[in-house]
């Protein structure tokens, strides 16, 4: 009986440990802004072509776009006055910069990831925010997880897909898009 209880106790401990490991591993594609966009709407963004890079506020970023976004840029949008097509998507990933001291020229490269922000053009779904939906997800390197940005973050993010509308309104004449497509 005692050996059975010990075996049962060990089995339960292993099951609890395994469940804990499973719970701690996050599938980023399950994270969603309350009442807003989900990471799942941008599945595959890691493989999208680069639109541009940027540096601001001590952070470096790469801005990538899905094929619709890239094609629109190649056709001259937004400089030609035309809007981006529905289905166009962008992602902007921020990192803390770090100096690669052992490489020639000591280049600045991405260090710890800070966040991932997304935009999607859907003129019906987001008719009241210029046709665009936005989402911002903060990254926690220690736990390797993402969580929706909040009103306490800088810039503040509200709980819906319109969180970027007020900031992007200054470029309404560019279909709410700040980023230029870098010449190749």
């Amino acid at each position: 009986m005692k050996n059975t209880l010990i075996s049962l106790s060990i089995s339960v401990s292993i099951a609890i440990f395994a469940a804990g490991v499973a719970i701690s591993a996050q599938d980023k594609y399950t994270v969603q802004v309350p009442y807003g966009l989900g990471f799942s709407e941008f599945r595959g963004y890691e493989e999208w072509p680069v639109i541009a890079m940027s540096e601001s506020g001590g952070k470096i970023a790469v801005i990538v776009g899905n094929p619709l976004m890239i094609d629109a840029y190649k056709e001259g949008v937004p400089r030609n006055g035309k809007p981006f097509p529905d289905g166009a998507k962008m992602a902007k990933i921020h990192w803390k910069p770090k100096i690669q001291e052992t490489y020639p020229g000591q280049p600045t490269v991405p260090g710890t990831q800070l966040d991932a922000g997304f935009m999607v053009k859907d003129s019906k779904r987001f008719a009241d925010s210029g046709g665009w939906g936005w989402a911002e997800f903060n990254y926690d390197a220690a736990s390797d997880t993402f969580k929706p940005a909040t009103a306490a973050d800088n810039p503040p993010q509200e709980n819906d897909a319109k969180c970027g509308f007020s900031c992007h309104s200054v470029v309404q004449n560019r279909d709410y898009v700040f980023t230029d497509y870098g010449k190749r």
Side-chain angles (χ1 to χ4, degrees):
M1 174 82 168
K2 186 175 180 181
N3 286 342
T4 304
L5 287 175
I6 291 172
S7 293
L8 179 60
S9 176
I10 290 171
S11 296
V12 168
S13 295
I14 290 170
I16 289 170
F17 175 76
V21 170
I23 289 169
S24 67
Q26 180 196 49
D27 175 2
K28 66 185 174 187
Y29 290 109
T30 63
V31 183
Q32 181 172 343
V33 171
Y35 312 108
L37 298 174
F39 230 103
S40 62
E41 295 183 62
F42 299 87
R43 188 174 297 278
Y45 77 94
E46 304 91 341
E47 305 300 323
W48 292 350
V50 171
I51 296 168
M53 301 177 324
S54 70
E55 182 279 322
S56 179
K59 299 185 259 185
I60 59 174
V62 64
I63 301 98
V64 297
N66 72 350
L68 280 173
M69 192 77 183
I70 298 299
D71 289 347
Y73 270 121
K74 288 179 178 179
E75 292 172 12
V77 177
R79 281 181 266 145
N80 63 9
K82 293 182 180 179
F84 287 94
D86 280 358
K89 297 178 182 180
M90 299 175 74
K92 186 174 189 178
I93 303 101
H94 285 106
W95 294 272
K96 287 183 184 177
K98 75 175 185 179
I99 304 298
Q100 203 65 307
E101 295 179 11
T102 59
Y103 290 6
Q106 298 183 328
T108 300
V109 298
T112 303
Q113 186 176 354
L114 300 170
D115 59 40
F118 301 112
M119 289 176 66
V120 59
K121 181 73 178 267
D122 186 331
S123 56
K124 290 182 180 122
R125 186 174 170 198
F126 306 114
D128 60 346
S129 59
W132 289 95
W134 289 268
E136 186 76 25
F137 297 94
N138 292 326
Y139 178 70
D140 179 50
S143 64
D144 190 26
T145 59
F146 287 89
K147 65 177 183 170
T150 68
D153 291 310
N154 186 15
Q157 304 293 310
E158 298 300 325
N159 288 334
D160 60 26
K162 298 178 234 170
C163 63
F165 183 59
S166 61
C167 180
H168 284 252
S169 291
V170 298
V171 287
Q172 180 179 356
N173 63 334
R174 295 177 42 88
D175 196 21
Y176 302 92
V177 174
F178 287 107
T179 307
D180 283 327
Y181 186 65
K183 181 161 175 53
R184 274 113 174 126

